[in-house]
Amino acid sequence: MSSRLRRLLTLLVAVMAGMAGESLILVRAQVGRFERLLRDDFQVIMFLRDEPTPGQEKILQEKLQALPQVQAALYIPRDEALATLRREDPELVDSITWIGENPLHSAFAVRPTPAGLKSFPQWLAAARGAADWADLRYRPGQARAILQAQLYGHFLSLLLSALLCAVAIILTLALWRMSRPGLWAAVPAIAWSAVGAAAGMALALAAAWPARRYLPWWELPLVSRQLVTWAACACSAGLCSPWKVPDAQA
């Protein structure tokens, strides 16, 4: 195999590794950002059956905030709820208040912690027993989407960790089997692979870049993750390249 062909194969392997690594961390970043946006917007509206007496709302708010895995609890008086609804849909308010009475109940907007969302049915059951509620409202589809995003995020993180462990094993075996001259002979291959890995990562990022206009949760991966991915792709492709052995034996 000629030296030029070996360099080309090393470059292609590095480019493919860079594209695969950048694609994985890009998808992981989007899943994480999507999950955070949904989680920050998610809340459970708990309507009180009876109007609280002065000072009772503070007691109920403290009771809700004292529950495990509750991030925040905000009291919403019935008049404030009606005013908010009037701003959003004045025609609906006019149709329900034509008799001159506010039909809405006072409520609490409760936001669970990420740990509470992971065990949402148990969390909801505990919140139901905090007071006498007329109704509890939330978006079941949003709760399912948060849990699915968390699952995908954990799976991608596990996959990235497994790949990094595989790269570490490859590097350890390669360095262990190589003599000192062989190690120095692999330096040009690693440098060549670093260029290919950077090119592959840039290609993957360029292919995904137009999506930022359509995805409100678009987010770039952390610079530290990109550097680790680049270094792992460059070193693994360089040390495993087919042209370092002849160079080491020459």
Side-chain angles (χ1 to χ4, degrees), residues 181-214:
L183 178 61
W184 284 109
V187 172
I190 295 176
W192 194 249
S193 299
V195 176
M201 294 176 68
L203 287 174
L205 184 59
W209 189 255
R212 75 190 192 282
R213 301 180 180 178
Y214 313 104

PDB file of all heavy atoms in Angstrom, residues 181-214:
ATOM      1  N   PRO A 181      10.239   4.445  19.358  1.00  0.00           N
ATOM      2  CA  PRO A 181      10.297   4.949  17.982  1.00  0.00           C
ATOM      3  C   PRO A 181       8.954   4.853  17.262  1.00  0.00           C
ATOM      4  O   PRO A 181       8.585   5.724  16.485  1.00  0.00           O
ATOM      5  CB  PRO A 181      11.357   4.056  17.327  1.00  0.00           C
ATOM      6  CG  PRO A 181      12.165   3.527  18.455  1.00  0.00           C
ATOM      7  CD  PRO A 181      11.217   3.374  19.592  1.00  0.00           C
ATOM      8  N   GLY A 182       8.211   3.773  17.532  1.00  0.00           N
ATOM      9  CA  GLY A 182       6.910   3.641  16.898  1.00  0.00           C
ATOM     10  C   GLY A 182       5.942   4.713  17.333  1.00  0.00           C
ATOM     11  O   GLY A 182       5.112   5.187  16.557  1.00  0.00           O
ATOM     12  N   LEU A 183       6.052   5.115  18.601  1.00  0.00           N
ATOM     13  CA  LEU A 183       5.181   6.181  19.096  1.00  0.00           C
ATOM     14  C   LEU A 183       5.469   7.496  18.395  1.00  0.00           C
ATOM     15  O   LEU A 183       4.554   8.214  17.993  1.00  0.00           O
ATOM     16  CB  LEU A 183       5.368   6.321  20.608  1.00  0.00           C
ATOM     17  CG  LEU A 183       4.552   7.429  21.290  1.00  0.00           C
ATOM     18  CD1 LEU A 183       3.066   7.160  21.094  1.00  0.00           C
ATOM     19  CD2 LEU A 183       4.886   7.481  22.782  1.00  0.00           C
ATOM     20  N   TRP A 184       6.759   7.797  18.219  1.00  0.00           N
ATOM     21  CA  TRP A 184       7.097   9.040  17.520  1.00  0.00           C
ATOM     22  C   TRP A 184       6.700   8.968  16.051  1.00  0.00           C
ATOM     23  O   TRP A 184       6.335   9.980  15.448  1.00  0.00           O
ATOM     24  CB  TRP A 184       8.595   9.311  17.648  1.00  0.00           C
ATOM     25  CG  TRP A 184       8.983   9.834  18.988  1.00  0.00           C
ATOM     26  CD1 TRP A 184       9.681   9.172  19.961  1.00  0.00           C
ATOM     27  CD2 TRP A 184       8.682  11.119  19.512  1.00  0.00           C
ATOM     28  NE1 TRP A 184       9.832   9.957  21.072  1.00  0.00           N
ATOM     29  CE2 TRP A 184       9.229  11.167  20.816  1.00  0.00           C
ATOM     30  CE3 TRP A 184       8.006  12.234  19.026  1.00  0.00           C
ATOM     31  CZ2 TRP A 184       9.127  12.281  21.636  1.00  0.00           C
ATOM     32  CZ3 TRP A 184       7.900  13.345  19.827  1.00  0.00           C
ATOM     33  CH2 TRP A 184       8.448  13.372  21.117  1.00  0.00           C
ATOM     34  N   ALA A 185       6.757   7.767  15.468  1.00  0.00           N
ATOM     35  CA  ALA A 185       6.355   7.622  14.070  1.00  0.00           C
ATOM     36  C   ALA A 185       4.864   7.844  13.879  1.00  0.00           C
ATOM     37  O   ALA A 185       4.410   8.181  12.773  1.00  0.00           O
ATOM     38  CB  ALA A 185       6.740   6.235  13.559  1.00  0.00           C
ATOM     39  N   ALA A 186       4.065   7.662  14.949  1.00  0.00           N
ATOM     40  CA  ALA A 186       2.615   7.849  14.838  1.00  0.00           C
ATOM     41  C   ALA A 186       2.203   9.307  14.948  1.00  0.00           C
ATOM     42  O   ALA A 186       1.041   9.628  14.688  1.00  0.00           O
ATOM     43  CB  ALA A 186       1.907   7.033  15.912  1.00  0.00           C
ATOM     44  N   VAL A 187       3.127  10.188  15.337  1.00  0.00           N
ATOM     45  CA  VAL A 187       2.778  11.599  15.501  1.00  0.00           C
ATOM     46  C   VAL A 187       2.265  12.219  14.202  1.00  0.00           C
ATOM     47  O   VAL A 187       1.246  12.927  14.198  1.00  0.00           O
ATOM     48  CB  VAL A 187       3.973  12.380  16.078  1.00  0.00           C
ATOM     49  CG1 VAL A 187       3.693  13.885  16.060  1.00  0.00           C
ATOM     50  CG2 VAL A 187       4.270  11.915  17.494  1.00  0.00           C
ATOM     51  N   PRO A 188       2.926  12.005  13.044  1.00  0.00           N
ATOM     52  CA  PRO A 188       2.369  12.554  11.801  1.00  0.00           C
ATOM     53  C   PRO A 188       0.972  12.016  11.495  1.00  0.00           C
ATOM     54  O   PRO A 188       0.112  12.748  10.991  1.00  0.00           O
ATOM     55  CB  PRO A 188       3.386  12.129  10.742  1.00  0.00           C
ATOM     56  CG  PRO A 188       4.645  11.890  11.493  1.00  0.00           C
ATOM     57  CD  PRO A 188       4.226  11.347  12.817  1.00  0.00           C
ATOM     58  N   ALA A 189       0.741  10.736  11.793  1.00  0.00           N
ATOM     59  CA  ALA A 189      -0.584  10.163  11.544  1.00  0.00           C
ATOM     60  C   ALA A 189      -1.634  10.818  12.433  1.00  0.00           C
ATOM     61  O   ALA A 189      -2.756  11.096  11.987  1.00  0.00           O
ATOM     62  CB  ALA A 189      -0.554   8.654  11.781  1.00  0.00           C
ATOM     63  N   ILE A 190      -1.293  11.080  13.690  1.00  0.00           N
ATOM     64  CA  ILE A 190      -2.236  11.737  14.593  1.00  0.00           C
ATOM     65  C   ILE A 190      -2.522  13.157  14.129  1.00  0.00           C
ATOM     66  O   ILE A 190      -3.663  13.631  14.171  1.00  0.00           O
ATOM     67  CB  ILE A 190      -1.688  11.722  16.032  1.00  0.00           C
ATOM     68  CG1 ILE A 190      -1.603  10.269  16.539  1.00  0.00           C
ATOM     69  CG2 ILE A 190      -2.569  12.548  16.963  1.00  0.00           C
ATOM     70  CD1 ILE A 190      -0.972  10.143  17.914  1.00  0.00           C
ATOM     71  N   ALA A 191      -1.469  13.856  13.676  1.00  0.00           N
ATOM     72  CA  ALA A 191      -1.665  15.217  13.171  1.00  0.00           C
ATOM     73  C   ALA A 191      -2.556  15.215  11.932  1.00  0.00           C
ATOM     74  O   ALA A 191      -3.447  16.069  11.785  1.00  0.00           O
ATOM     75  CB  ALA A 191      -0.308  15.851  12.853  1.00  0.00           C
ATOM     76  N   TRP A 192      -2.322  14.260  11.043  1.00  0.00           N
ATOM     77  CA  TRP A 192      -3.164  14.136   9.852  1.00  0.00           C
ATOM     78  C   TRP A 192      -4.606  13.797  10.244  1.00  0.00           C
ATOM     79  O   TRP A 192      -5.552  14.319   9.659  1.00  0.00           O
ATOM     80  CB  TRP A 192      -2.582  13.060   8.950  1.00  0.00           C
ATOM     81  CG  TRP A 192      -3.117  13.037   7.546  1.00  0.00           C
ATOM     82  CD1 TRP A 192      -3.899  12.079   6.998  1.00  0.00           C
ATOM     83  CD2 TRP A 192      -2.908  14.013   6.525  1.00  0.00           C
ATOM     84  NE1 TRP A 192      -4.199  12.379   5.698  1.00  0.00           N
ATOM     85  CE2 TRP A 192      -3.600  13.578   5.383  1.00  0.00           C
ATOM     86  CE3 TRP A 192      -2.215  15.219   6.468  1.00  0.00           C
ATOM     87  CZ2 TRP A 192      -3.625  14.295   4.188  1.00  0.00           C
ATOM     88  CZ3 TRP A 192      -2.228  15.936   5.278  1.00  0.00           C
ATOM     89  CH2 TRP A 192      -2.916  15.482   4.166  1.00  0.00           C
ATOM     90  N   SER A 193      -4.756  12.925  11.232  1.00  0.00           N
ATOM     91  CA  SER A 193      -6.096  12.564  11.698  1.00  0.00           C
ATOM     92  C   SER A 193      -6.788  13.737  12.384  1.00  0.00           C
ATOM     93  O   SER A 193      -8.017  13.864  12.320  1.00  0.00           O
ATOM     94  CB  SER A 193      -6.012  11.378  12.662  1.00  0.00           C
ATOM     95  OG  SER A 193      -5.463  10.254  12.028  1.00  0.00           O
ATOM     96  N   ALA A 194      -6.027  14.589  13.068  1.00  0.00           N
ATOM     97  CA  ALA A 194      -6.629  15.751  13.720  1.00  0.00           C
ATOM     98  C   ALA A 194      -7.275  16.680  12.699  1.00  0.00           C
ATOM     99  O   ALA A 194      -8.354  17.225  12.925  1.00  0.00           O
ATOM    100  CB  ALA A 194      -5.568  16.494  14.526  1.00  0.00           C
ATOM    101  N   VAL A 195      -6.604  16.835  11.547  1.00  0.00           N
ATOM    102  CA  VAL A 195      -7.193  17.651  10.483  1.00  0.00           C
ATOM    103  C   VAL A 195      -8.467  17.009   9.957  1.00  0.00           C
ATOM    104  O   VAL A 195      -9.496  17.669   9.748  1.00  0.00           O
ATOM    105  CB  VAL A 195      -6.166  17.844   9.344  1.00  0.00           C
ATOM    106  CG1 VAL A 195      -6.793  18.599   8.178  1.00  0.00           C
ATOM    107  CG2 VAL A 195      -4.937  18.583   9.856  1.00  0.00           C
ATOM    108  N   GLY A 196      -8.433  15.700   9.743  1.00  0.00           N
ATOM    109  CA  GLY A 196      -9.617  15.009   9.243  1.00  0.00           C
ATOM    110  C   GLY A 196     -10.771  15.037  10.226  1.00  0.00           C
ATOM    111  O   GLY A 196     -11.928  15.239   9.838  1.00  0.00           O
ATOM    112  N   ALA A 197     -10.473  14.842  11.531  1.00  0.00           N
ATOM    113  CA  ALA A 197     -11.538  14.877  12.537  1.00  0.00           C
ATOM    114  C   ALA A 197     -12.166  16.260  12.619  1.00  0.00           C
ATOM    115  O   ALA A 197     -13.396  16.391  12.736  1.00  0.00           O
ATOM    116  CB  ALA A 197     -10.978  14.468  13.896  1.00  0.00           C
ATOM    117  N   ALA A 198     -11.339  17.301  12.561  1.00  0.00           N
ATOM    118  CA  ALA A 198     -11.883  18.665  12.582  1.00  0.00           C
ATOM    119  C   ALA A 198     -12.753  18.922  11.360  1.00  0.00           C
ATOM    120  O   ALA A 198     -13.817  19.554  11.455  1.00  0.00           O
ATOM    121  CB  ALA A 198     -10.739  19.667  12.654  1.00  0.00           C
ATOM    122  N   ALA A 199     -12.317  18.418  10.193  1.00  0.00           N
ATOM    123  CA  ALA A 199     -13.110  18.594   8.976  1.00  0.00           C
ATOM    124  C   ALA A 199     -14.440  17.852   9.078  1.00  0.00           C
ATOM    125  O   ALA A 199     -15.495  18.368   8.680  1.00  0.00           O
ATOM    126  CB  ALA A 199     -12.319  18.106   7.762  1.00  0.00           C
ATOM    127  N   GLY A 200     -14.413  16.623   9.631  1.00  0.00           N
ATOM    128  CA  GLY A 200     -15.652  15.870   9.782  1.00  0.00           C
ATOM    129  C   GLY A 200     -16.622  16.538  10.740  1.00  0.00           C
ATOM    130  O   GLY A 200     -17.835  16.591  10.477  1.00  0.00           O
ATOM    131  N   MET A 201     -16.108  17.062  11.834  1.00  0.00           N
ATOM    132  CA  MET A 201     -16.964  17.762  12.792  1.00  0.00           C
ATOM    133  C   MET A 201     -17.552  19.028  12.175  1.00  0.00           C
ATOM    134  O   MET A 201     -18.720  19.362  12.403  1.00  0.00           O
ATOM    135  CB  MET A 201     -16.172  18.090  14.052  1.00  0.00           C
ATOM    136  CG  MET A 201     -15.736  16.864  14.840  1.00  0.00           C
ATOM    137  SD  MET A 201     -14.706  17.242  16.279  1.00  0.00           S
ATOM    138  CE  MET A 201     -15.913  18.086  17.327  1.00  0.00           C
ATOM    139  N   ALA A 202     -16.747  19.728  11.387  1.00  0.00           N
ATOM    140  CA  ALA A 202     -17.250  20.931  10.720  1.00  0.00           C
ATOM    141  C   ALA A 202     -18.330  20.592   9.700  1.00  0.00           C
ATOM    142  O   ALA A 202     -19.327  21.315   9.565  1.00  0.00           O
ATOM    143  CB  ALA A 202     -16.093  21.669  10.045  1.00  0.00           C
ATOM    144  N   LEU A 203     -18.150  19.484   8.981  1.00  0.00           N
ATOM    145  CA  LEU A 203     -19.179  19.063   8.013  1.00  0.00           C
ATOM    146  C   LEU A 203     -20.494  18.717   8.706  1.00  0.00           C
ATOM    147  O   LEU A 203     -21.581  19.090   8.234  1.00  0.00           O
ATOM    148  CB  LEU A 203     -18.668  17.867   7.216  1.00  0.00           C
ATOM    149  CG  LEU A 203     -17.584  18.147   6.167  1.00  0.00           C
ATOM    150  CD1 LEU A 203     -17.079  16.843   5.567  1.00  0.00           C
ATOM    151  CD2 LEU A 203     -18.121  19.060   5.069  1.00  0.00           C
ATOM    152  N   ALA A 204     -20.417  17.985   9.828  1.00  0.00           N
ATOM    153  CA  ALA A 204     -21.637  17.633  10.561  1.00  0.00           C
ATOM    154  C   ALA A 204     -22.331  18.878  11.104  1.00  0.00           C
ATOM    155  O   ALA A 204     -23.562  18.998  11.049  1.00  0.00           O
ATOM    156  CB  ALA A 204     -21.292  16.680  11.704  1.00  0.00           C
ATOM    157  N   LEU A 205     -21.548  19.827  11.613  1.00  0.00           N
ATOM    158  CA  LEU A 205     -22.128  21.060  12.134  1.00  0.00           C
ATOM    159  C   LEU A 205     -22.744  21.894  11.019  1.00  0.00           C
ATOM    160  O   LEU A 205     -23.824  22.471  11.187  1.00  0.00           O
ATOM    161  CB  LEU A 205     -21.058  21.862  12.870  1.00  0.00           C
ATOM    162  CG  LEU A 205     -21.517  23.148  13.555  1.00  0.00           C
ATOM    163  CD1 LEU A 205     -22.590  22.851  14.592  1.00  0.00           C
ATOM    164  CD2 LEU A 205     -20.334  23.846  14.214  1.00  0.00           C
ATOM    165  N   ALA A 206     -22.084  21.941   9.865  1.00  0.00           N
ATOM    166  CA  ALA A 206     -22.632  22.697   8.735  1.00  0.00           C
ATOM    167  C   ALA A 206     -23.926  22.077   8.225  1.00  0.00           C
ATOM    168  O   ALA A 206     -24.862  22.786   7.824  1.00  0.00           O
ATOM    169  CB  ALA A 206     -21.598  22.762   7.611  1.00  0.00           C
ATOM    170  N   ALA A 207     -24.014  20.746   8.242  1.00  0.00           N
ATOM    171  CA  ALA A 207     -25.234  20.081   7.788  1.00  0.00           C
ATOM    172  C   ALA A 207     -26.405  20.354   8.725  1.00  0.00           C
ATOM    173  O   ALA A 207     -27.561  20.447   8.286  1.00  0.00           O
ATOM    174  CB  ALA A 207     -24.988  18.584   7.665  1.00  0.00           C
ATOM    175  N   ALA A 208     -26.123  20.483  10.024  1.00  0.00           N
ATOM    176  CA  ALA A 208     -27.188  20.716  11.000  1.00  0.00           C
ATOM    177  C   ALA A 208     -27.467  22.196  11.229  1.00  0.00           C
ATOM    178  O   ALA A 208     -28.483  22.527  11.862  1.00  0.00           O
ATOM    179  CB  ALA A 208     -26.828  20.049  12.335  1.00  0.00           C
ATOM    180  N   TRP A 209     -26.609  23.077  10.761  1.00  0.00           N
ATOM    181  CA  TRP A 209     -26.730  24.497  11.076  1.00  0.00           C
ATOM    182  C   TRP A 209     -28.046  25.122  10.606  1.00  0.00           C
ATOM    183  O   TRP A 209     -28.642  25.933  11.321  1.00  0.00           O
ATOM    184  CB  TRP A 209     -25.546  25.250  10.486  1.00  0.00           C
ATOM    185  CG  TRP A 209     -25.443  26.670  10.930  1.00  0.00           C
ATOM    186  CD1 TRP A 209     -25.749  27.794  10.215  1.00  0.00           C
ATOM    187  CD2 TRP A 209     -25.019  27.133  12.223  1.00  0.00           C
ATOM    188  NE1 TRP A 209     -25.527  28.922  10.956  1.00  0.00           N
ATOM    189  CE2 TRP A 209     -25.083  28.548  12.195  1.00  0.00           C
ATOM    190  CE3 TRP A 209     -24.594  26.493  13.375  1.00  0.00           C
ATOM    191  CZ2 TRP A 209     -24.732  29.311  13.290  1.00  0.00           C
ATOM    192  CZ3 TRP A 209     -24.245  27.260  14.462  1.00  0.00           C
ATOM    193  CH2 TRP A 209     -24.320  28.651  14.420  1.00  0.00           C
ATOM    194  N   PRO A 210     -28.592  24.805   9.407  1.00  0.00           N
ATOM    195  CA  PRO A 210     -29.868  25.427   8.991  1.00  0.00           C
ATOM    196  C   PRO A 210     -31.035  25.125   9.924  1.00  0.00           C
ATOM    197  O   PRO A 210     -32.016  25.861   9.933  1.00  0.00           O
ATOM    198  CB  PRO A 210     -30.104  24.831   7.594  1.00  0.00           C
ATOM    199  CG  PRO A 210     -28.750  24.441   7.102  1.00  0.00           C
ATOM    200  CD  PRO A 210     -28.014  23.986   8.322  1.00  0.00           C
ATOM    201  N   ALA A 211     -30.949  24.061  10.724  1.00  0.00           N
ATOM    202  CA  ALA A 211     -32.061  23.711  11.617  1.00  0.00           C
ATOM    203  C   ALA A 211     -32.266  24.724  12.721  1.00  0.00           C
ATOM    204  O   ALA A 211     -33.329  24.750  13.349  1.00  0.00           O
ATOM    205  CB  ALA A 211     -31.822  22.321  12.227  1.00  0.00           C
ATOM    206  N   ARG A 212     -31.277  25.581  12.968  1.00  0.00           N
ATOM    207  CA  ARG A 212     -31.409  26.554  14.060  1.00  0.00           C
ATOM    208  C   ARG A 212     -32.521  27.556  13.778  1.00  0.00           C
ATOM    209  O   ARG A 212     -33.054  28.175  14.707  1.00  0.00           O
ATOM    210  CB  ARG A 212     -30.088  27.294  14.276  1.00  0.00           C
ATOM    211  CG  ARG A 212     -29.782  28.332  13.230  1.00  0.00           C
ATOM    212  CD  ARG A 212     -28.356  28.865  13.359  1.00  0.00           C
ATOM    213  NE  ARG A 212     -28.150  30.043  12.543  1.00  0.00           N
ATOM    214  CZ  ARG A 212     -27.945  30.034  11.235  1.00  0.00           C
ATOM    215  NH1 ARG A 212     -27.920  28.881  10.591  1.00  0.00           N
ATOM    216  NH2 ARG A 212     -27.771  31.151  10.564  1.00  0.00           N
ATOM    217  N   ARG A 213     -32.905  27.716  12.516  1.00  0.00           N
ATOM    218  CA  ARG A 213     -33.975  28.650  12.169  1.00  0.00           C
ATOM    219  C   ARG A 213     -35.357  28.084  12.483  1.00  0.00           C
ATOM    220  O   ARG A 213     -36.323  28.846  12.593  1.00  0.00           O
ATOM    221  CB  ARG A 213     -33.906  28.997  10.679  1.00  0.00           C
ATOM    222  CG  ARG A 213     -32.594  29.635  10.245  1.00  0.00           C
ATOM    223  CD  ARG A 213     -32.624  29.931   8.753  1.00  0.00           C
ATOM    224  NE  ARG A 213     -31.373  30.538   8.299  1.00  0.00           N
ATOM    225  CZ  ARG A 213     -31.129  30.859   7.023  1.00  0.00           C
ATOM    226  NH1 ARG A 213     -32.046  30.610   6.086  1.00  0.00           N
ATOM    227  NH2 ARG A 213     -29.971  31.392   6.693  1.00  0.00           N
ATOM    228  N   TYR A 214     -35.455  26.779  12.597  1.00  0.00           N
ATOM    229  CA  TYR A 214     -36.752  26.137  12.760  1.00  0.00           C
ATOM    230  C   TYR A 214     -36.931  25.488  14.129  1.00  0.00           C
ATOM    231  O   TYR A 214     -38.063  25.142  14.485  1.00  0.00           O
ATOM    232  CB  TYR A 214     -36.948  25.072  11.666  1.00  0.00           C
ATOM    233  CG  TYR A 214     -36.596  25.555  10.288  1.00  0.00           C
ATOM    234  CD1 TYR A 214     -35.413  25.168   9.669  1.00  0.00           C
ATOM    235  CD2 TYR A 214     -37.439  26.431   9.607  1.00  0.00           C
ATOM    236  CE1 TYR A 214     -35.086  25.614   8.395  1.00  0.00           C
ATOM    237  CE2 TYR A 214     -37.116  26.885   8.338  1.00  0.00           C
ATOM    238  CZ  TYR A 214     -35.935  26.470   7.739  1.00  0.00           C
ATOM    239  OH  TYR A 214     -35.615  26.931   6.484  1.00  0.00           O
TER     240      TYR A 214
END
